Amino acid sequence: MASRVRGPLIRQTAIAERPGAVAIAKIVSFCIACGALSSRAFPSNYRQGPREAERSRPAEKRMHQNRLADATSPYLLQHATNPVDWRQWGAVALSEAKTAGKPILLSVGYAACHWCHVMAHESFEDDATASIMNELFVNIKVDREERPDIDHIYMSALHALGQQGGWPLTMFLTPDAEPFWGGTYFPKTARHGHPAFVDVLRSVARVFHAEPDKVRQNANALRQALSKEGVPAGEQTYSRAFLDDFASRASGIIDQTHGGIRGAPKFPNPSILELLWRASLRTPNSQIAALVMLTLDRMSEGGIYDHLGGGYSRYSTDERWLVPHFEKMLYDNAQILELLAAAYTETGRPLFCLRARETVAWLEREMTTREGAFCASLDADSEGVEGKFYVWHADELTKILGAANAEFFARFYDVTPQGNWHHEQTGDHVTILNRLNAPQPNEEDEQRLIALRAMLFAAREKRPRPGLDDKVLADWNGLMVAALARSALIFERPEWLNKAARAYLFVRETMAEPSARARASLAHSWRNGAMIRPGFALDHAAMARAAIALHEVRSHLAPEHRQTDFLSDAITWSKTIESDYRNADTGLISMNSRAAEDVLTRLTPTADDAIPNAHSVDLDNLIRLASHTGDQSWLERADRLFEALRGAVFKNPLAHCGVLNAFDLRESGVEMVVTGPNSAPLHEAALATSYINRAVIDARAAALPDTHMAAVQSAAANRAMALICTRTHCLPPVYEPGDIRARMREAISGR
């Protein structure tokens, strides 16, 4: 029996690359009677009760509406009845701060964020706290998913203050929107050396008015830190030898027992796993491949995976993948789906196929809008309690399944009367379903388990559900569309392709700027007809990624979708990135377009986060566009971007695995040219290979450019064949679909 795990003590949604803190001499510490201001840790015995604050407030106060009432973001609407006089970010709120001469309290979170809910129930729903906030500050609430640029600017400022960061993000700004101090979660009352939120509010307001020189000193130092652009390039250069050496070193941080990066919390880290998987394809290092397999196995059998409904949670709070942070994000599941597909093509592991199919079933059932686009996230909480929707007591299973079935089910899903998780929030001992230590069921047992899971799923559906954030984000939709297009034929689910095309066309048709040139500019967010625009660089990069993926599989789409010129879309959006987002001085890509007017600065972040960085996605697109168009200027543009990134990449390669993966595609990728009569089986076999290091070119649909090294062979083909070409040469033709994968491995490894 697995030992019980105590509940999560810290809830950080991502651990991002932290730039070095600003020199201590430049930053003034604000101290108050209860101690130095700090919000870096949550009390170890902290428990949040049910969401009673709103229910217990008198009816006339519950009806109060602030200036978030006309927002479209589900997260902002969660706060629309707070007694805090919240404003949305924008020129009106910033102007009001200047007129009033008040500092700004900026609170950034998102709908599925557990600790955002905690701070809201403790402080933002409390009349006394709200009164102090309204008196001393102009209060602005931001959904980080709608405005990732605002989040990144002020999270970077918090990092510059030497803090790890996380959400909710609580920052204090001058009326000119310059940060001068901040933190994350602040408790309502002082405990364990952590100041009460109201004491923080009074102290910051006092310093702002009484000691403006201190505020100006901090604001200037942070602005200087934010304005640093790029990292000087050293002498290191990109090479296959570096990739192999770095992958070997990076494999050393992988937990050899549980997979994932050693320690806790454990995040999926898709770009790191992809880097290791790519290395296993280039080299005969089976140990690296085994570590990736171990990680995907443990994730797919652990509590981070929803064994009844499908889909992966954001991360695990423990080192075993048992106790998840229960929110489910679209972008996580998109990236994991691609990893499962890549691993499955090489291993045929049935578990990966099963989890992929279950995850897409969850996507269709719970995360798809009426219009066919994909929703952003599912909350971690229901009825004010984190994970309540997902956890079980043993007696519940007996009641639903019957004693014999419950005993049988318990053997495979770690169910005991004692539970396997001590829920710190409620003090209860509950079970998180998992198969981390389960025996391997035989076919008969598995069929029985399928029926029992269905019974439990039906019972769970009667529970109050976690909140759904149903806004449509162009970048996250692009990631999922690409994942579906790249994995559909691998998992023998061609119907996924039309789901992908439908979501793609919604973003393309609905979220494009109507006055923009040929749909060149996309909005970032859509909900109920309202949009956040202009979009960000990643919106265009992710949708270009989706367009390239759909272009490859266009012959398998429904007739109404085949007429879309996906390749032209990819070209258009890639050109938009170059014209509207590239910083001419550094060559890097800014998050914001040149049209953005309400940001303190246009940052050019380069590191991977939970979501891929725009630089790595754009690089991958540029390399694939060169293959699909035959236009080598796309490669030249990619090489310029690689050079602009070189200093940042070699300063912290682990934070830039996405860029290194793109370089591997540049160096080791192959083009699979399918040509000749009756070549549909070869084309389908080519598409069923791993996407990560190949581009499939259908020469039946359009002739290759004369400059392509396979052009002569392709044009002369009088039988079905696949020509697999590296950067320097083409291998002998492949005539049988079953031989394609082996020939592709030969080309990638150089053996």
Side-chain angles (χ1 to χ4, degrees):
M1 180 186 74
S3 60
R4 289 198 301 271
V5 176
R6 292 184 64 83
L9 308 183
I10 295 180
R11 288 301 195 202
Q12 288 180 311
T13 298
I15 298 177
E17 178 196 29
R18 284 177 55 189
V22 176
I24 193 67
K26 296 181 180 179
I27 292 293
V28 177
S29 297
F30 299 159
C31 297
I32 54 179
C34 60
L37 295 184
S38 175
S39 68
R40 293 185 61 183
F42 303 118
S44 62
N45 65 347
Y46 178 74
R47 294 179 187 171
Q48 174 213 356
R51 295 184 181 176
E52 296 297 333
E54 182 64 25
R55 298 176 194 147
S56 62
R57 189 176 294 144
E60 65 273 13
K61 293 188 178 181
R62 288 203 304 270
M63 294 303 294
H64 168 84
Q65 286 193 328
N66 55 41
R67 285 180 259 189
L68 300 182
D70 60 349
T72 58
S73 158
Y75 174 65
L76 297 187
L77 290 173
Q78 287 175 1
H79 296 270
T81 57
N82 291 170
V84 178
D85 187 13
W86 292 116
R87 292 88 163 161
Q88 297 187 62
W89 182 273
V92 173
L94 299 177
S95 176
E96 186 177 344
K98 292 179 181 179
T99 300
K102 291 182 179 181
I104 294 168
L105 189 159
L106 174 65
S107 176
V108 182
Y110 58 104
C113 169
H114 171 72
W115 281 98
C116 301
H117 300 326
V118 174
M119 193 166 178
H121 303 322
E122 287 185 338
S123 296
F124 303 153
E125 294 174 359
D126 178 68
D127 291 324
T129 304
S131 177
I132 295 171
M133 293 174 66
N134 294 337
E135 176 187 355
L136 300 179
F137 297 91
V138 170
N139 302 291
I140 299 178
K141 176 64 74 173
V142 167
D143 179 344
R144 70 176 293 260
E145 295 168 359
E146 277 195 342
R147 293 302 303 265
D149 54 338
I150 300 299
D151 176 62
H152 192 83
I153 288 170
Y154 295 104
M155 188 65 75
S156 297
L158 186 65
H159 290 162
L161 287 166
Q163 296 204 43
Q164 177 68 64
W167 295 274
L169 172 64
T170 308
M171 292 298 291
F172 298 96
L173 322 179
T174 71
D176 292 316
E178 298 171 307
F180 62 90
W181 196 76
T184 53
Y185 163 78
F186 291 95
K188 180 180 178 181
T189 57
R191 57 170 77 91
H192 304 289
H194 302 287
F197 186 46
V198 292
D199 293 331
V200 172
L201 297 173
R202 291 190 177 106
S203 178
V204 171
R206 180 195 64 77
V207 171
F208 177 81
H209 292 290
E211 303 179 69
D213 289 346
K214 290 184 177 180
V215 172
R216 176 47 46 199
Q217 183 175 340
N218 277 18
N220 287 343
L222 290 175
R223 182 145 196 171
Q224 182 179 357
L226 292 173
S227 66
K228 291 179 180 178
E229 292 283 2
V231 177
E235 295 183 358
Q236 277 190 291
T237 58
Y238 302 97
S239 68
R240 178 164 171 164
F242 173 80
L243 289 179
D244 292 342
D245 176 68
F246 178 67
S248 178
R249 288 184 284 128
S251 69
I253 67 173
I254 301 298
D255 185 330
Q256 308 241 346
T257 302
H258 306 294
I261 294 178
R262 289 196 301 265
K266 265 188 163 58
F267 293 85
N269 299 116
S271 63
I272 296 175
L273 293 180
E274 182 181 327
L275 178 125
L276 296 176
W277 191 253
R278 286 173 174 274
S280 75
L281 298 177
R282 288 192 310 272
T283 66
N285 191 332
S286 60
Q287 291 182 333
I288 290 180
L291 291 174
V292 179
M293 291 272 290
L294 172 67
T295 302
L296 293 176
D297 269 339
R298 296 294 82 192
M299 285 171 53
S300 297
E301 299 286 38
I304 192 176
Y305 183 76
D306 180 357
H307 291 264
L308 299 183
Y312 293 80
S313 295
R314 173 79 276 270
Y315 67 90
S316 174
T317 63
D318 65 295
E319 67 177 4
R320 296 173 48 225
W321 303 104
L322 173 62
V323 183
H325 183 20
F326 290 89
E327 64 189 6
K328 293 183 187 177
M329 314 301 292
L330 182 65
Y331 59 79
D332 282 318
N333 285 277
Q335 295 174 89
I336 292 171
L337 179 60
E338 289 201 353
L339 282 174
L340 292 172
Y344 182 73
T345 59
E346 296 298 319
T347 66
R349 179 93 160 87
L351 177 65
F352 299 161
C353 182
L354 178 63
R355 293 295 181 258
R357 291 176 177 179
E358 290 171 341
T359 294
V360 176
W362 161 75
L363 177 74
E364 182 178 16
R365 185 182 64 247
E366 300 183 31
M367 297 289 286
T368 304
T369 69
R370 289 190 302 272
E371 298 82 5
F374 302 126
C375 302
S377 65
L378 278 175
D379 203 337
D381 295 14
S382 58
E383 300 182 273
V385 179
E386 183 179 15
K388 185 174 182 179
F389 182 75
Y390 299 101
V391 300
W392 297 87
H393 293 92
D395 57 356
E396 289 181 283
L397 271 64
T398 301
K399 182 178 179 180
I400 296 166
L401 303 178
N405 280 334
E407 182 180 354
F408 172 80
F409 187 87
R411 294 206 312 268
F412 294 94
Y413 284 94
D414 193 22
V415 181
T416 66
Q418 299 79 26
N420 55 23
W421 180 39
H422 177 214
H423 198 309
E424 291 283 340
Q425 184 180 341
T426 64
D428 202 3
H429 295 278
V430 295
T431 291
I432 299 170
L433 299 180
N434 73 93
R435 294 175 69 159
L436 287 169
N437 297 306
Q440 185 65 35
N442 58 36
E443 182 60 31
E444 182 180 349
D445 287 344
E446 187 58 49
Q447 291 305 311
R448 186 178 175 187
L449 289 170
I450 290 172
L452 298 179
R453 289 198 301 268
M455 292 171 66
L456 291 176
F457 176 80
R460 194 179 76 174
E461 285 293 282
K462 298 174 183 177
R463 297 176 175 179
R465 297 186 59 81
L468 172 69
D469 187 333
D470 60 354
K471 65 178 176 284
V472 176
L473 300 174
D475 50 354
W476 298 10
N477 268 257
L479 295 177
M480 182 56 81
V481 168
L484 290 170
R486 290 170 165 179
S487 64
L489 298 181
I490 290 172
F491 293 120
E492 300 180 350
R493 286 293 186 267
E495 65 272 17
W496 294 358
L497 296 176
N498 291 310
K499 298 182 197 305
R502 189 175 176 217
Y504 173 91
L505 290 172
F506 175 83
V507 176
R508 179 185 188 265
E509 302 297 331
T510 306
M511 298 176 66
E513 181 70 48
S515 60
R517 58 199 184 279
R519 294 192 178 89
S521 179
L522 294 168
H524 171 63
S525 173
W526 177 96
R527 186 172 185 270
N528 293 340
M531 283 179 265
I532 301 294
R533 56 167 47 110
F536 304 105
L538 185 59
D539 294 312
H540 299 83
M543 283 298 292
R545 175 191 186 112
I548 294 168
L550 286 170
H551 170 74
E552 284 200 345
V553 298
R554 63 196 182 281
S555 63
H556 290 74
L557 296 176
E560 64 269 24
H561 297 147
R562 288 180 202 161
Q563 305 309 312
T564 303
D565 191 343
F566 298 107
L567 188 59
S568 177
D569 288 347
I571 290 170
T572 295
W573 291 324
S574 296
K575 287 182 176 179
T576 295
I577 293 172
E578 178 73 8
S579 62
D580 295 0
Y581 294 87
R582 191 176 70 84
N583 183 310
D585 295 328
T586 64
L588 299 175
I589 299 170
S590 298
M591 288 184 72
N592 297 94
S593 80
R594 303 186 203 284
E597 297 177 345
D598 62 351
V599 291
L600 184 67
T601 184
R602 293 175 67 229
L603 294 183
T604 56
T606 61
D608 299 320
D609 205 334
I611 305 168
N613 185 271
H615 288 88
S616 60
V617 180
D618 187 51
L619 281 167
D620 187 89
N621 292 341
L622 296 174
I623 295 162
R624 294 179 189 276
L625 282 174
S627 293
H628 285 291
T629 65
D631 183 351
Q632 295 305 295
S633 67
W634 294 108
L635 270 187
E636 293 167 5
R637 183 173 140 189
D639 289 342
R640 289 194 296 271
L641 187 52
F642 277 124
E643 180 59 25
L645 287 160
R646 185 159 60 89
V649 169
F650 288 103
K651 179 181 179 183
N652 189 351
L654 194 65
H656 294 84
C657 286
V659 174
L660 295 175
N661 292 336
F663 180 73
D664 179 55
L665 176 66
R666 172 77 171 86
E667 290 298 295
S668 303
V670 299
E671 295 178 3
M672 306 174 71
V673 179
V674 179
T675 188
N678 304 314
S679 55
L682 279 170
H683 187 242
E684 189 158 336
L687 291 172
T689 60
S690 174
Y691 71 92
I692 62 174
N693 252 347
R694 58 93 174 131
V696 177
I697 301 169
D698 187 356
R700 303 168 302 167
L704 296 177
D706 292 340
T707 54
H708 196 286
M709 66 182 73
V712 174
Q713 274 184 292
S714 176
N718 56 12
R719 61 179 293 193
M721 66 174 64
L723 300 166
I724 299 179
C725 305
T726 69
R727 285 199 316 141
T728 59
H729 67 284
C730 294
L731 277 64
V734 177
Y735 300 108
E736 297 298 328
D739 295 336
I740 282 184
R741 186 166 291 138
R743 190 63 57 83
M744 178 180 167
R745 288 195 199 102
E746 177 186 342
I748 291 172
S749 66
R751 297 189 299 276

